[in-house]
Amino acid sequence: MATSPAPGEGPVRPVSVSLHEGTIAALRERTGKRGMSAYVEALIQRQLERDRLRELIDDAEAEHGPADPAAVEAKRAVLRGDAAGSADTA
């Protein structure tokens, strides 16, 4: 049984999508005509990753309950480089 390629893998195939004219104009302005496909591919891959992460978080919360907000803020402080780790520090 063959498996489907993972996002970002496999041959490239053209597809048709419908976008608002303003979105197309902004996309062309940012990427140029030839960079549109790569830009859209990267956006879709990033959204798929976020969707999967949300599913993993939902599964973990269903099994273990929601994360403690104080613990989450303490981890955010570490990532921000806040040596004190205080939630009061902006």
Side-chain angles (χ1 to χ4, degrees):
M1 181 171 121
T3 61
S4 298
E9 297 179 352
V12 175
R13 294 186 314 136
V15 297
S16 175
V17 297
S18 299
L19 302 171
H20 293 279
E21 286 185 28
T23 303
I24 295 167
L27 181 59
R28 280 197 175 130
E29 186 176 310
R30 182 165 298 275
T31 67
K33 188 174 183 178
R34 296 199 162 263
M36 290 175 64
S37 291
Y39 192 85
V40 171
E41 171 80 16
L43 290 173
I44 293 170
Q45 285 184 36
R46 186 169 32 248
Q47 186 60 47
L48 289 168
E49 290 170 356
R50 288 179 178 185
D51 292 348
R52 182 62 185 131
L53 180 58
R54 172 48 45 203
E55 292 166 1
L56 290 171
I57 291 169
D58 290 345
D59 289 348
E61 287 183 343
E63 185 174 339
H64 304 288
D68 174 28
V72 171
E73 184 53 37
K75 296 295 183 188
R76 282 187 177 141
V78 170
L79 292 173
R80 284 191 305 261
D82 179 4
S86 171
D88 298 331
T89 306

